[in-house]
Amino acid sequence: MIKKILSWLFLALILCFMYVPILVLIVYSFTDSTIIGNWNGFSFNLYVKLFTEERISKMLFNTVSLAIIAAFLSTVLGTLGAIGLYYSKGKFGKCIKGASSISVINAEIVTAISLALVFSLIAFGKTYFSLIIGHMVLCTPFVVLSVTPKLKQMDSSMYEAALDLGASPAKALFKVVLPEILPGIFSGFMLAITLSLDDYIVTAFTKPVTFDTISTYVYNAVKNQAKSELPALRALSAIIFVIMIIVVVVMNIRANKKTEEIR
């Protein structure tokens, strides 16, 4: 009994350590005080500022549009790459599979510096295109990791059967393979969006000077001690946290429904 109580207390301490700071941030997003700890009365001023101030609105649009574009392109490339790796045979296939996992465990700062050096060597510079490429390099390996398990769960004979029945390779891919691995593709897409939204290092090394995302905006605001801008970021953090909670709850409900249907 004592062991069970201690385990629950330990779990509660971990949860408090993780979520109490976020809850405090959410509470103080409903006051326009510049310092957390000073309560100036309940208000939605920070949320109004978040969507009315031009610089912040532009930063939000940049972040969301970049994440969607990079995630979409990474999902397409990662899905095709996962299918190619799955059907590759021999020593060459094993080498490619091993090389594809290096980028996942590689330090992000190494990736960022490498991309910056490559773009400078080809006189490409820091543009929106280099930023998209950088985020694709970051996200694509994780899409491959999400899609590969679904390919392994799929009955490989289904693709061969479709070919035997007269389907072209492209038609068999779209009619047989892709529907079977669609949950993995969706998971990879969501993971790519999360990685893109959260990234700072690759973004800082590849973005144009005039382009800001949430991560670079927050860093610059803290670095320059822009106290007038920092409070609005509390409202932004609260919105992001609530959206993530809703997404997780919806995905868990759907997963539970599918489990019940299978049973």
Side-chain angles (χ1 to χ4, degrees):
M1 183 67 181
I2 295 176
K3 186 177 180 180
K4 189 175 182 180
I5 293 173
L6 290 175
S7 63
W8 279 104
L9 286 174
F10 182 69
L11 178 61
L13 286 173
I14 293 176
L15 292 175
C16 288
F17 180 78
M18 293 174 59
Y19 292 109
V20 167
I22 299 176
L23 294 176
V24 171
L25 194 69
I26 292 174
V27 170
Y28 278 91
S29 69
F30 293 100
T31 182
D32 57 0
S33 172
T34 57
I35 301 175
I36 293 180
N38 294 337
W39 185 264
N40 289 348
F42 184 88
S43 71
F44 290 99
N45 290 341
L46 295 184
Y47 290 90
V48 174
K49 183 179 180 181
L50 187 64
F51 294 102
T52 55
E53 189 167 319
E54 183 179 355
R55 185 180 176 187
I56 298 178
S57 299
K58 184 179 180 181
M59 173 268 298
L60 290 174
F61 176 79
N62 289 344
T63 305
V64 174
S65 60
L66 172 64
I68 293 174
I69 294 172
F72 175 78
L73 295 176
S74 298
T75 302
V76 173
L77 184 61
T79 301
L80 295 176
I83 294 172
L85 290 173
Y86 178 72
Y87 286 105
S88 60
K89 306 291 183 180
K91 294 182 179 180
F92 178 75
K94 291 181 180 179
C95 291
I96 295 297
K97 290 176 183 178
S100 65
S101 61
I102 294 177
S103 54
V104 176
I105 60 176
N106 187 32
E108 190 176 339
I109 184 64
V110 176
T111 302
I113 294 174
S114 301
L115 288 170
L117 288 175
V118 169
F119 291 137
S120 63
L121 284 174
I122 61 178
F124 195 75
K126 295 181 178 181
T127 63
Y128 188 75
F129 182 75
S130 67
L131 181 60
I132 292 288
I133 296 297
H135 277 240
M136 287 179 63
V137 171
L138 175 68
C139 299
T140 300
F142 292 92
V143 176
V144 174
L145 284 181
S146 298
V147 175
T148 301
K150 291 298 178 181
L151 285 167
K152 292 180 179 179
Q153 293 174 8
M154 182 188 69
D155 186 358
S156 58
S157 62
M158 294 174 62
Y159 177 75
E160 296 173 359
L163 296 178
D164 292 338
L165 292 172
S168 63
K171 189 173 183 180
L173 174 65
F174 284 99
K175 294 292 184 179
V176 177
V177 178
L178 290 183
E180 289 292 322
I181 64 174
L182 191 59
I185 296 174
F186 179 75
S187 299
F189 178 75
M190 294 302 298
L191 182 59
I193 284 184
T194 304
L195 289 169
S196 179
L197 289 173
D198 188 53
D199 178 74
Y200 170 76
I201 299 176
V202 172
T203 305
F205 276 82
T206 57
K207 76 177 186 71
V209 177
T210 57
F211 190 94
D212 264 327
T213 62
I214 292 175
S215 57
T216 58
Y217 181 89
V218 172
Y219 176 80
N220 291 330
V222 174
K223 180 182 178 182
N224 299 327
Q225 296 183 349
K227 295 182 178 180
S228 61
E229 298 177 1
L230 289 175
L233 301 179
R234 301 201 297 260
L236 176 61
S237 301
I239 292 174
I240 293 174
F241 180 74
V242 171
I243 291 174
M244 290 298 104
I245 291 294
I246 292 173
V247 170
V248 170
V249 170
V250 170
M251 290 182 68
N252 286 335
I253 291 174
R254 292 186 62 184
N256 291 334
K257 285 183 178 180
K258 288 182 178 180
T259 304
E260 292 175 358
E261 290 175 358
I262 294 173
R263 291 178 181 176

